[in-house]
Amino acid sequence: MDAKLGQVLAALNRVVLGKPEQIKLSVSCLLAQGHLLIEDLPGMGKTTLSHALANVLGLKYRRIQFTSDLLPADIVGASIFQRNQETGQGKFVFSPGPIFSQFVLADEINRATPKAQSALLEAMEEHQVSIDGKTFPLPKPFFVVATQNPLSQAGTFPLPESQLDRFLMRINLGYPSAQAERELLEGQNHTQLAKQLKPVMTLEELAAYQVKVKSVKTSSSLLDYLQRLISYTREHPKLTYGLSPRGSLALLNASKSWALLHGREHVVPEDIQAVFEAVTEHRLADAMEQSLGRISQHALSEVKVL
């Protein structure tokens, strides 16, 4: 593994205990220039992980607390009329919202109404926002990490398929192991530890890694395997729809990023298998019959590498 990326993972593992795979998926997601959705119960460390990611990567961080009364203008900003006291004349001036940051935490995103949720769509896909007929570019790099509570909890609004598809990966943290929880109980406040983390890499180094992800090689046989997995989701009788072409590209980019994170310049089948669930499950959640379970597990067990 690259020494710099190893330092990033080590720093994150000191803050979020006992979750090495979820941390590697999170870093892979950002190296692939994707957005990350973290779904779990309150108090599992979702916000702590996102804050730690921003600090370790040296990114300007803003948090938006999603609530039922949140408006799109509270996210993207609005044009405000400003009057010149001397001349009496005035004009509308755009006041940027918190979306204008390199790293945006959309906290409890599914507690906001669909109207507020949709304000993120253009920003996540195009890295820009359009207001009053004008387009405003967002900073580079630009990442959205959203946290989501289980839909069984009161006061939640499910994210539409179009918005779920904008997230490269979805991960679940889950309960810590007994050993990790003991370290948590005996140690420092890990929320404060996340805030105190120093950047491990510069913006230039991060951009270089993102370019390097694109240059990771894939063989024709590897692409054949990826396409067989995609076809499996499209042809499964208990799925109303399968992965889209955007989902195919997401799986490929995530696999390249995972390979780079593990020091490889080419993708192997194990890279696809490692990211497959995080990339596919949230995209197909509404397409599955309840009795099916996790489609990613079925696909990986039934589609052979060859």
Side-chain angles (χ1 to χ4, degrees):
M1 180 182 292
D2 179 275
K4 183 71 70 171
L5 294 177
Q7 292 175 24
V8 170
L9 295 177
L12 293 171
N13 278 300
R14 287 195 297 271
V15 173
V16 182
L17 302 177
K19 301 296 176 184
E21 291 303 306
Q22 290 91 331
I23 286 174
K24 285 196 285 187
L25 285 170
S26 301
V27 174
S28 294
C29 183
L30 299 190
L31 291 180
Q33 302 183 63
H35 306 293
L36 178 67
L37 179 62
I38 310 175
E39 180 178 297
D40 223 317
L41 295 166
M44 291 293 187
K46 303 185 295 295
T47 305
T48 301
L49 173 58
S50 64
H51 208 157
L53 278 167
N55 286 350
V56 163
L57 298 175
L59 301 174
K60 182 182 177 183
Y61 173 91
R62 295 290 297 273
R63 174 177 174 173
I64 307 173
Q65 186 65 50
F66 278 63
T67 57
S68 58
D69 59 350
L70 189 74
L71 297 175
D74 297 327
I75 300 172
V76 299
S79 294
I80 300 174
F81 187 78
Q82 293 185 354
R83 185 182 299 278
N84 189 307
Q85 298 297 329
E86 296 179 359
T87 64
Q89 297 179 338
K91 62 179 179 179
F92 283 95
V93 177
F94 177 63
S95 177
I99 195 71
F100 286 84
S101 189
Q102 295 169 331
F103 190 110
V104 176
L105 171 61
D107 204 16
E108 296 185 314
I109 188 174
N110 60 335
R111 290 201 179 278
T113 62
K115 184 177 183 180
Q117 293 173 4
S118 65
L120 284 175
L121 279 176
E122 182 186 11
M124 293 173 67
E125 185 66 18
E126 307 292 339
H127 290 196
Q128 65 182 31
V129 295
S130 299
I131 298 174
D132 297 334
K134 295 182 180 180
T135 299
F136 300 90
L138 293 168
K140 293 183 180 180
F142 174 72
F143 299 121
V144 173
V145 173
T147 68
Q148 176 173 257
N149 294 325
L151 294 179
S152 58
Q153 294 204 331
T156 58
F157 299 86
L159 297 180
E161 295 90 335
S162 59
Q163 186 148 5
L164 285 171
D165 201 36
R166 261 65 173 189
F167 289 100
L168 179 64
M169 293 185 190
R170 182 187 68 179
I171 64 171
N172 303 87
L173 293 178
Y175 293 112
S177 65
Q179 180 182 353
E181 190 159 24
R182 187 58 175 258
E183 291 181 34
L184 184 66
L185 294 170
E186 294 178 342
Q188 294 177 266
N189 184 319
H190 284 250
T191 302
Q192 292 300 320
L193 283 178
K195 294 179 180 178
Q196 294 167 7
L197 282 177
K198 302 299 181 184
V200 172
M201 64 172 61
T202 64
L203 292 181
E204 291 75 17
E205 289 172 328
L206 175 58
Y209 279 115
Q210 291 173 338
V211 171
K212 199 171 181 179
V213 166
K214 296 178 182 179
S215 65
V216 173
K217 297 179 175 57
T218 52
S219 66
S220 58
S221 59
L222 189 285
L223 291 177
D224 289 341
Y225 176 55
L226 187 146
Q227 284 192 291
R228 288 197 299 274
L229 288 169
I230 299 297
S231 296
Y232 180 90
T233 68
R234 295 172 180 173
E235 298 168 2
H236 198 286
K238 291 189 176 182
L239 289 176
T240 55
Y241 57 84
L243 286 173
S244 66
R246 183 191 284 140
S248 305
L249 290 170
L251 181 56
L252 178 61
N253 290 334
S255 302
K256 287 183 174 183
S257 181
W258 186 268
L260 178 67
L261 191 63
H262 290 80
R264 289 188 292 274
E265 296 182 355
H266 62 280
V267 179
V268 297
E270 288 76 12
D271 298 323
I272 296 177
Q273 294 162 0
V275 302
F276 190 69
E277 179 176 344
V279 172
T280 61
E281 283 291 333
H282 64 289
R283 289 180 162 86
L284 301 175
D286 293 330
M288 291 185 282
E289 294 183 10
Q290 290 186 348
S291 60
L292 185 57
R294 292 183 177 178
I295 184 61
S296 57
Q297 294 180 345
H298 292 280
L300 293 175
S301 63
E302 296 185 27
V303 177
K304 305 304 178 185
V305 176
L306 300 182

